[in-house]
Amino acid sequence: MTRLPIFKLVLATLVLGALQSVVLLQVNWFGDAAATATGPIDTLMDVTIVVSSFVFALVCVFLGYAVYKWRVKPGDEGDGLPIHGNTKLEVWWTLIPVLIVVGLAGYSWAVLVDIEKKDADRINVDVYSQQFEWTFGYPDSGGKSSEGELHVPVNRQIDFKFHAQDVIHSFWVPEWRIKKDNVPGITTDAVITPDREGTFQLICTELCGIGHTTMRAKVVVESEEKYNQWVAGLKEKVSPFLLTADQAFEAQRKAEEREKGIEGSGVEETGSGDHSD
Amino acid sequence: MALRNPGWYRGALGFFLGAAFGFGLVLALRAVSGLDLFQTEDTGYPHIVVPMITAPFGFLIGFGAFDYWFRWAAGKPTVPEDHSDHGATRWQDYFKFNTDHKVIGIQYMVLTFAFFLIGGLLAMLIRAELAQPGSQVVGANTFNGLFSTHATVMIFLFIIPMFAGIANYVVPLMLGAPDMAFPRLNALSFWLLPIAGIIFLGSFLAPGGAFDAGWTGYAPLSGGAPLGQTFFNVGVQFAGASSIAAALNFLVTIITMRAPGMNLWRMPLMAWAQLATSLLVVGATPFVAGAQFMTFFDRILGMNFFNFLEGGDVISYQHIFWFYSHPAVYIMMLPGFGIISEVISVHARKAVFGYRLMALALIGIVVLSYSVWAHHMFVSGMFSWLRVPIMISTMLIAVPTGIKVFSWLGTLFYGKIQTQSTAMLFALAFIVTFTVGGISGVITAMIPLDIHVSETYFIVAHIHFVLFGGSVFTIFAGLYHWFPKVTGRMYDERLGRVHLWLTVVGTWLTFVPMHWIGMDGMPRRVVDYASQYGDWNLVISISAFMLGAAQLVFVYNMIVSWRFGPKAGSNPWRGKSIEWLVSSPPPVYNFTAIPRVVGGPYEYGTPGARHAIMAEDEEGATVPTPEPSKVTAS
């Protein structure tokens, strides 16, 4: 059995992996960034790209070498060497991947905790989605509302609460990196801190019917004064239809109670009188 | 009398009787209840839905699927050894209720490949529409129906049953079994499939168009969708029942019908993979059936499983659905892993490296795959505590998968790699392409990254790298590998290589750019998109057309070689497992006497070592005693 040029193969893997990493890191994968969460998320992506590059290079180099070295010559009807395995090697290629994925999982967890941290001075914005339009409510400013256009101040954390009226929709501003489903019957939420002024697009990413493609809204991130002026200038309030037809609040309150209810009384109120249908 | 014997005439009669029964039942019950005879508002249409269930059963009864069981149940004399519906001598025999696992295997492979072409055609329409921003070919409603049926046909009617078909043909042979454990159930499993196919595709004729809530059919969108959605609910039941019955059959066959001497550790990895897959199918498929029944009841009977206005829970649909549909990804991958192990071992003339760990990795994937379903739901609003445990188990599943990739590489080392074989080239292309799908899988498992990429073209890229670069490549490897066994003829390797390269290049050019546009902000399941993605989409569409056209080379090669190819002989690849030790195609009952298994399935390079001894050899009594395998230095 010829000795394997292990050193050369590993070197080739490292070189190819490094080369791939460098090329792939040149690509601006996620596009523009406009929120504080993008920093840790994009770094996590870069780290993952580097790790993946080396894994892919490893497979390519070893496969390429094997095919180059041991491709059969015409007329050779012989068999390969009767090697059935190598326990030590098999243990290694089980353990090392475990370490890699556990490491990446731990890192992801840390990033997740980081991007979901809530600031004390955050402001609340309600998002109401229905086929096929977006409505926004500003409860901190007296329940004002806007349709098809969302304004938020820059450098303040926004605590979004999502309400869906009919089917599932999903809230996504690619430049913010955050996505959340709007689920009928419950209220979901996400915190986002925009850190760049500008105009962005809000995209519905959960298939919601025939108009799914066109279910977009304009997102304007502006200075806090401008934002306050804009909200003050709003005439409409959140329509009672959105508030009452949405029994979501009630269901959500109950769900939260259940969650807390482990130490609570567990007794549920019946009939809040709000929806007598 | 043609109408008294099982077959197409009686089947047609049964179909009409079944339809009339269902139709009459609905009308009678509605008349008795004082309702309008026809209910066509909303999601109802009971006079179409009920016949959609009763007519197929009428057909199956007429066709002869239940004749033997009915006779037995009624206490009438049955002939246990009645083989009149076994084996094929004419092409017409392939259109009958046939109990021969080899005939059924061919029926499966040909039918599911036809569905592959239909599903591919739907994909071509999708890519034609998406080639440029704006509206090209179809409107939003039709488009939603196109991608929903594309996915459904490819998953339920091509990949899953194609693997069942390949395994149907080769696994009993590999085990040294004369047939599957339950031949009649096996035939029934097959005939449920065309029914599912007709129902899925028939939904295009329904008022309101084909089902268009995606193959995922999320409630409540699917709850209020037009009639076509019911076709999906019902079609999944037939495809699922087919899948479950086939899996039970495989489990019993693999556990009880192995040839003497074949203990579990002498079983080819193809059989191991089928065992693992069947465990998944039997455990998980009832969940998708359940999810669709619940949606069905919500739609037809006014129940409120997922109706949030009446206390239904919207997210529970996703939990039930993905509890099947994530394991389904492995149902669509594990048989391919088995095929690749066989192909690489035979065409590298080497034992599979780390055979036992390979088998254990399959079982490890089965166990882990039941614990990862909720990674499809990181942004769904489910309880947030579930996300991190699911992320960890999802990422851990990369470990047994990695073991398989490394072991295949290990198998190549010190082998004699037959790079002229198209089957082997597809296996090698699979390893590289599937690795990319695996890596993007780890990326989508990482919650902060998944929050950004979920429901975008990145996901479309990932699933196609896994299902096309993964499952479909393994299917091609398997079809090329066992083509000589099934047909007794050789295929054209030159055309095979043309097909290979067009397919590999087409796959990469089509699906790689989807990663970029997805991460940059293009959501999936949209009929139109921002103009900045126009150029990449044009590249994708052109590559997709090339990929589609490449499959015609395969079709041509298979048809012409089947008819005119040079004779293959029983063992053109010099394989060691039992299917290569019988003639090509094998005799009707596979073996004159059951073979005796005396060693592992991959004893390449060990002089005199054998996997099995055929009855014909035993008579000569000059069988060399196999030597224990050992590593020899050179």
Side-chain angles (χ1 to χ4, degrees), chain A residues 126 128 130 135 137-139 142-145 163-165 237-250 274-275:
Chain A
D126 281 307
Y128 302 93
Q130 56 189 312
T135 310
Y138 306 89
K144 295 278 183 61
S145 101
H163 319 278
Q165 307 298 317
K237 291 215 165 196
V238 178
S239 93
F241 171 74
L242 287 180
L243 289 174
T244 54
D246 179 22
Q247 296 170 339
F249 295 116
E250 185 65 11
D274 215 315
H275 40 88

Side-chain angles (χ1 to χ4, degrees), chain A residues 62-94:
Chain A
F62 278 77
L63 185 125
Y65 178 76
V67 172
Y68 160 78
K69 176 87 198 231
W70 289 292
R71 69 192 293 175
V72 75
K73 290 165 194 68
D76 185 351
E77 298 250 300
D79 285 349
L81 293 185
I83 304 166
H84 287 258
N86 180 328
T87 309
K88 218 199 253 173
L89 194 59
E90 289 166 37
V91 170
W92 278 115
W93 72 38
T94 309

Side-chain angles (χ1 to χ4, degrees), chain A residues 1-2 72 76-77 80 179, chain B residues 349 414 416 452 454 574 634:
Chain A
M1 193 155 68
T2 46
V72 75
D76 185 351
E77 298 250 300
K179 181 181 292 122
Chain B
R349 320 295 312 149
Y414 299 104
K416 304 254 182 178
H452 181 67
S454 66
R574 294 177 291 126
S634 66

Side-chain angles (χ1 to χ4, degrees), chain B residues 289-590:
Chain B
Q292 297 317 315
F293 267 131
M294 290 160 95
T295 318
F296 181 78
F297 292 155
D298 275 7
R299 292 168 52 81
I300 305 298
L301 301 177
M303 296 189 181
N304 296 311
F305 289 110
F306 308 122
N307 180 359
F308 65 100
L309 289 173
E310 300 294 339
D313 183 355
V314 171
I315 289 186
S316 64
Y317 175 88
Q318 297 171 36
H319 280 297
I320 305 169
F321 178 82
W322 287 116
F323 199 77
Y324 162 75
S325 294
H326 193 80
V329 174
Y330 296 96
I331 292 169
M332 290 185 271
M333 204 57 256
L334 296 187
F337 287 171
I339 291 173
I340 295 301
S341 296
E342 299 302 323
V343 170
I344 288 192
S345 161
V346 170
H347 294 277
R349 320 295 312 149
K350 248 194 95 230
V352 172
F353 194 93
Y355 164 83
R356 288 192 181 211
L357 191 61
M358 286 290 262
L360 291 175
L362 288 168
I363 301 303
I365 291 174
V366 170
V367 174
L368 275 173
S369 76
Y370 279 111
S371 67
V372 302
W373 80 95
H375 65 222
H376 295 268
M377 300 168 62
F378 285 154
V379 300
S380 71
M382 66 167 181
F383 4 90
S384 52
W385 62 265
L386 188 57
R387 294 176 301 169
V388 169
I390 289 280
M391 167 173 71
I392 294 169
S393 58
T394 304
M395 293 177 75
L396 280 178
I397 218 165
V399 174
T401 315
I403 289 173
K404 303 210 72 86
V405 171
F406 297 139
S407 294
W408 289 321
L409 293 180
T411 309
L412 293 175
F413 274 63
Y414 299 104
K416 304 254 182 178
I417 302 170
Q418 297 169 338
T419 42
Q420 78 283 9
S421 150
T422 309
M424 184 60 163
L425 290 176
F426 260 110
L428 298 174
F430 158 78
I431 294 179
V432 176
T433 314
F434 181 71
T435 302
V436 176
I439 287 170
S440 60
V442 171
I443 291 176
T444 49
M446 297 160 75
I447 303 165
L449 302 181
D450 183 68
I451 290 175
H452 181 67
V453 300
S454 66
E455 293 291 337
T456 69
Y457 257 81
F458 188 89
I459 299 296
V460 181
H462 165 66
I463 55 158
H464 283 95
F465 256 90
V466 174
L467 292 183
F468 204 104
S471 309
V472 179
F473 279 22
T474 66
I475 285 170
F476 281 131
L479 290 179
Y480 280 115
H481 182 66
W482 283 297
F483 181 84
K485 180 50 61 186
V486 174
T487 64
R489 308 265 180 176
M490 290 305 287
Y491 59 86
D492 185 337
E493 296 278 16
R494 211 165 43 89
L495 281 178
R497 276 196 294 278
V498 171
H499 172 227
L500 168 101
W501 284 111
L502 287 176
T503 303
V504 171
V505 173
T507 303
W508 279 69
L509 286 180
T510 305
F511 301 118
V512 164
M514 289 185 182
H515 291 102
W516 304 338
I517 57 175
M519 282 196 170
D520 198 50
M522 181 167 160
R524 69 173 182 159
R525 294 174 164 177
V526 287
V527 64
D528 193 9
Y529 48 84
S531 52
Q532 80 223 52
Y533 305 120
D535 292 346
W536 277 120
N537 271 292
L538 189 62
V539 171
I540 292 169
S541 286
I542 292 171
S543 314
F545 296 144
M546 183 180 97
L547 184 56
Q551 308 320 312
L552 300 179
V553 178
F554 175 80
V555 174
Y556 174 82
N557 192 1
M558 291 295 112
I559 291 175
V560 171
S561 304
W562 199 334
R563 192 90 175 75
F564 305 110
K567 290 255 188 285
S570 63
N571 196 356
W573 313 128
R574 294 177 291 126
K576 301 257 181 188
S577 46
I578 300 175
E579 84 270 27
W580 299 111
L581 306 181
V582 294
S583 62
S584 306
V588 179
Y589 298 103
N590 294 356

Side-chain angles (χ1 to χ4, degrees), chain A residues 32-98:
Chain A
D32 294 340
T36 52
T38 58
I41 293 177
D42 292 7
T43 310
L44 176 64
M45 184 64 197
D46 288 344
V47 170
T48 311
I49 283 176
V50 171
V51 174
S52 310
S53 294
F54 285 100
V55 173
F56 185 64
L58 182 84
V59 171
C60 288
V61 164
F62 278 77
L63 185 125
Y65 178 76
V67 172
Y68 160 78
K69 176 87 198 231
W70 289 292
R71 69 192 293 175
V72 75
K73 290 165 194 68
D76 185 351
E77 298 250 300
D79 285 349
L81 293 185
I83 304 166
H84 287 258
N86 180 328
T87 309
K88 218 199 253 173
L89 194 59
E90 289 166 37
V91 170
W92 278 115
W93 72 38
T94 309
L95 286 183
I96 293 175
V98 169

